Amino acid sequence: MGHKDKRKPLNWEHPAVYHYEQTIPLKIPGYASLYEITSRLLKAQSIEGVKSTADILVVGAGGGQECVALGAEHEDRTFTGIDPSERMLEIAARRVEAVGLKQRVRLIQGSIEDLPPGQLYDAATCMLVLHFIQGLSAKLQLLRGIAGRLKPGAPLFLSSINGEPGTTAFDLQMRTWVKHMHDNGVSREETARFAESIGTAYDPIPAIQVQELLREAGFEQVSSYFGVYLIDAWVSTRA
């Protein structure tokens, strides 16, 4: 008898996602710092002339954090955000309009394939998305899709939950992370759902595998710039 795959995606159309904007900073340690560092790296690359980043692709734009955080610091940039969830994009649109960035942000419901044909971008972000993609082949497909939409030398900023579930090291980090959430007021019911979703709705892989996938997808100069508990972030460039 074959093994039944119990993994399933989260329901991003559930009304509960409207609380995402309020709860995610409580769950992710250093959440604001992650985006601040990303912004600084993007600005540093522009200053050094590595690549003029005028049009930025935001993969997984639902919630609007990248558009709001980067848009405030990079006034000459435009942003194209893609996300399959209508409800999450509603949150992004509301936040973008509230801070006066509506004219510089375009939000598209769908996947990479739904972007304007032939459009190449000067930079891309894929923040806290990869662990929702089920399986190595699908993760690689996403990264290749992003690479195919970037100009040569353009940077990709990627962050995700990583590790090997079931190992002592992973369990230690998870227990500590859950305690962090409790201390920030996240309910025990919600943290229990999060922990139980590892291996089902969430599909983390070891950080070294993420780096290997980046290189296989067509990225080079992979460099780590953020890490806390099971979350890592890298910047790389389109080969």
Side-chain angles (χ1 to χ4, degrees), residues 22-202:
Q22 289 76 37
T23 60
I24 191 67
L26 304 178
K27 294 179 179 178
I28 306 296
Y31 185 69
S33 295
L34 170 60
Y35 290 93
E36 178 184 353
I37 298 169
T38 299
S39 179
R40 288 181 181 275
L41 282 167
L42 181 60
K43 187 172 294 186
Q45 286 193 326
S46 301
I47 292 174
E48 294 172 5
V50 175
K51 178 60 63 177
S52 174
T53 51
D55 196 3
I56 300 174
L57 172 63
V58 180
V59 179
Q65 180 65 22
E66 293 91 326
C67 294
V68 170
L70 298 180
E73 296 294 325
H74 301 266
E75 297 180 356
D76 55 342
R77 301 341 182 212
T78 58
F79 300 84
T80 298
I82 187 85
D83 197 291
S85 170
E86 180 180 3
R87 291 185 186 273
M88 291 296 286
L89 284 178
E90 288 177 10
I91 298 173
R94 173 174 52 77
R95 294 186 66 193
V96 163
E97 185 168 10
V99 296
L101 293 174
K102 186 176 180 179
Q103 299 303 316
R104 292 196 283 126
V105 176
R106 179 185 184 187
L107 298 174
I108 301 172
Q109 183 181 358
S111 60
I112 298 290
E113 293 74 20
D114 297 308
L115 290 168
Q119 174 71 51
L120 294 180
Y121 298 89
D122 300 289
T125 66
C126 184
M127 310 295 282
L128 302 172
V129 170
L130 194 66
H131 49 264
F132 291 118
I133 308 301
Q134 303 292 335
L136 288 176
S137 61
K139 294 178 193 295
L140 178 59
Q141 181 180 356
L142 172 64
L143 294 176
R144 281 177 170 164
I146 297 173
R149 288 297 188 153
L150 288 175
K151 298 175 183 178
L156 166 65
F157 300 91
L158 172 75
S159 64
S160 60
I161 299 173
N162 308 292
E164 190 173 354
T167 63
T168 300
F170 188 95
D171 292 344
L172 171 62
Q173 295 281 351
M174 178 59 72
R175 288 198 307 272
T176 310
W177 188 1
V178 167
K179 178 61 165 57
H180 169 92
M181 294 185 198
H182 291 165
D183 291 345
N184 278 279
V186 180
S187 71
R188 293 188 179 277
E189 291 78 11
E190 190 165 355
T191 55
R193 285 195 299 270
F194 168 72
E196 291 169 0
S197 68
I198 299 297
T200 55
Y202 294 80

Side-chain angles (χ1 to χ4, degrees), residues 8-29:
K8 58 182 179 180
L10 289 181
N11 181 8
W12 291 105
E13 300 303 339
H14 192 280
V17 302
Y18 288 125
H19 300 293
Y20 181 85
E21 178 186 348
Q22 289 76 37
T23 60
I24 191 67
L26 304 178
K27 294 179 179 178
I28 306 296

